[in-house]
Amino acid sequence: MNWLEVVGTLANAATISGVGFVVWQMRRDRSYASASIVLTICSNIRSSIEEVGRSASADMPSHKTWEHSFRNLLNELELASAIVLDKAASGRSGKIAERFLIDILKHINGDLGMKSKVSAAIHQETTFVNLRDFLRKHRADLQ
């Protein structure tokens, strides 16, 4: 075996190792990105829910203020639905986001007042399309 063959063999081994490392790094980065996305989703939705609660329990609650807060929550749920459906939130953290959305949507679906406000918030065909797709995908979970 001459030195060129040895160098070629070592280069092939290094390439294979490098590809393996890149694949490992990509998986790790995806896990970190997913966790960050889920943390942001949960934080934003929790803040929106708290705002809905504050506007409902104010001394002189304004129906318009509550409705505005509720629509902001729906917009957060729409964005979170798109992220989950795109599988940007994956693995265990993705499952947390999915279950979180399902639990909130179950609550909204079980409250006739909130459910009617969802219908009233839809002002065109594309309004909440991701939320509707998420609901359709998880219909059995929402029963």
Side-chain angles (χ1 to χ4, degrees):
M1 180 178 273
N2 67 31
W3 68 275
L4 284 176
E5 290 172 335
V6 170
V7 169
T9 301
L10 290 174
N12 287 339
T15 300
I16 292 170
S17 297
V19 168
F21 177 75
V22 167
V23 169
W24 173 79
Q25 185 71 31
M26 286 172 58
R27 280 188 177 166
R28 194 181 78 159
D29 289 348
R30 182 175 172 145
S31 293
Y32 290 153
S34 179
S36 176
I37 288 167
V38 169
L39 182 61
T40 302
I41 286 171
C42 292
S43 177
N44 290 351
I45 290 174
R46 270 196 304 271
S47 293
S48 293
I49 289 171
E50 289 169 2
E51 183 60 36
V52 168
R54 277 192 299 274
S55 66
S57 65
D59 288 336
M60 297 288 284
S62 162
H63 183 69
K64 292 278 186 203
T65 303
W66 183 90
E67 200 169 294
H68 176 75
S69 298
F70 186 68
R71 286 185 182 197
N72 282 340
L73 171 61
L74 293 175
N75 288 325
E76 289 292 340
L77 294 171
E78 168 73 359
L79 181 59
S81 295
I83 290 168
V84 170
L85 289 170
D86 285 347
K87 296 185 182 358
S90 61
R92 291 179 183 203
S93 57
K95 284 288 181 199
I96 289 171
E98 192 173 77
R99 293 303 319 166
F100 186 60
L101 285 173
I102 289 168
D103 288 345
I104 293 166
L105 294 170
K106 267 185 177 179
H107 181 76
I108 291 171
N109 194 43
D111 184 302
L112 293 177
M114 281 194 254
K115 196 172 178 180
S116 70
K117 294 298 180 188
V118 173
S119 297
I122 298 172
H123 53 85
Q124 60 185 350
E125 189 177 302
T126 58
T127 304
F128 305 130
V129 70
N130 294 296
L131 191 52
R132 285 184 282 188
D133 289 347
F134 184 87
L135 289 167
R136 200 171 7 264
K137 180 179 179 183
H138 296 283
R139 186 173 314 213
D141 295 324
L142 294 163
Q143 302 301 324

